[in-house]
Amino acid sequence: GNSVTQMEGPVTLSEEAFLTINCTYTATGYPSLFWYVQYPGEGLQLLLKATKADDKGSNKGFEATYRKETTSFHLEKGSVQVSDSAVYFCALGTTDSWGKFQFGAGTQVVVTP
Amino acid sequence: EPEVTQTPSHQVTQMGQEVILRCVPISNHLYFYWYRQILGQKVEFLVSFYNNEISEKSEIFDDQFSVERPDGSNFTLKIRSTKLEDSAMYFCASKRTSGGARADTQYFGPGTRLTVL
């Protein structure tokens, strides 16, 4: 079946450091891939997405490239801020008509001043 | 910008009681979902709903759970007899179009935290 594996956290960084969160997936067909962010006490917000191989999603300085050959969708940001402290979820959208999502376990990121 | 809303934000109930969690999806969306997140765990799919019927459900979604779209705007999740292990954050989501060869973005509500005592 479809699944998403995400690196475990917490990841603790200093402000302006480089952030990478690894995400790999297994899936049949041609899934779409997403990163969602959950700030403390809030719901899931779409951060970025990619719908086909080699697509790059980007938003708010974050980027992720859909790599079919390595079945990966790693999230990166060149210079994090304290406000980026949150839990980040990698998600896979299945290609069946109903499109349910499979989520990774989530990675908590803590950015210190 | 349109958003998915959920009420209440926090629900406390006694074991064995019925609860109804409410969601208002984005108005022109056609597909609706419930997910749950037990504290510290991953977000899990519960059920999808389209054209006024369940399209898919997970093994978690047993006979104690039901969903309904009672009118043109609300989408509800009912748990008939709550158990301690039902304590979780419940997220409603909606999307506009079908997946086809690609799965579209789902827009999530802020969640309802259910605490079963």
Side-chain angles (χ1 to χ4, degrees):
Chain A
N2 300 326
S3 66
V4 176
T5 303
Q6 215 177 311
M7 66 185 283
E8 290 188 20
V11 174
T12 303
L13 303 161
S14 298
E15 213 166 16
E16 299 183 2
F18 185 87
L19 170 68
T20 299
I21 304 175
N22 289 340
C23 171
T24 57
Y25 67 90
T26 57
T28 55
Y30 304 94
S32 293
L33 299 171
F34 304 82
W35 277 101
Y36 281 82
V37 58
Q38 185 179 34
Y39 297 104
E42 299 186 15
L44 299 168
Q45 299 177 24
L46 176 68
L47 183 59
L48 54 83
K49 69 176 184 180
T51 58
K52 60 184 187 296
D54 300 325
D55 267 3
K56 178 187 282 189
S58 61
N59 186 26
K60 299 180 182 178
F62 290 89
E63 292 184 341
T65 301
Y66 186 161
R67 301 282 189 205
K68 197 169 191 303
E69 65 275 13
T70 54
T71 61
S72 65
F73 192 55
H74 305 322
L75 182 68
E76 297 181 336
K77 185 174 185 182
S79 177
V80 293
Q81 306 299 312
V82 172
S83 56
D84 293 324
S85 297
V87 180
Y88 293 81
F89 291 92
C90 185
L92 178 153
T94 57
T95 53
D96 61 81
S97 295
W98 316 119
K100 72 182 180 193
F101 278 7
Q102 300 278 356
F103 282 89
T107 301
Q108 184 179 11
V109 172
V110 178
V111 181
T112 57
Chain B
E1 185 175 329
E3 58 184 20
V4 177
T5 59
Q6 289 185 245
T7 53
S9 56
H10 191 188
Q11 174 93 46
V12 181
T13 190
Q14 296 291 326
M15 191 169 57
Q17 294 297 302
E18 175 183 287
V19 294
I20 297 176
L21 310 183
R22 291 183 167 79
C23 169
V24 179
I26 294 172
S27 63
N28 62 349
H29 284 191
L30 303 175
Y31 296 79
F32 313 111
Y33 305 84
W34 284 101
Y35 294 82
R36 79 172 185 190
Q37 183 184 28
I38 294 172
L39 188 64
Q41 299 186 23
K42 67 168 63 178
V43 178
E44 302 172 289
F45 167 77
L46 291 178
V47 66
S48 59
F49 191 86
Y50 171 71
N51 200 25
N52 282 321
E53 60 183 24
I54 290 174
S55 47
E56 187 177 3
K57 59 184 180 180
S58 72
E59 61 275 7
I60 302 168
F61 194 89
D62 61 22
D63 292 344
Q64 293 299 312
F65 291 88
S66 63
V67 289
E68 193 177 34
R69 189 154 163 82
D71 52 41
S73 59
N74 290 282
F75 179 50
T76 62
L77 174 69
K78 181 192 291 186
I79 309 175
R80 288 190 186 81
S81 178
T82 50
K83 306 183 186 71
L84 295 176
E85 54 265 35
D86 293 328
S87 294
M89 179 75 89
Y90 288 81
F91 292 106
C92 173
S94 69
K95 72 172 186 178
R96 173 79 178 106
T97 60
S98 66
R102 299 285 181 264
D104 286 337
T105 301
Q106 292 181 23
Y107 294 87
F108 285 78
T112 293
R113 180 164 297 286
L114 177 65
T115 302
V116 182
L117 303 176

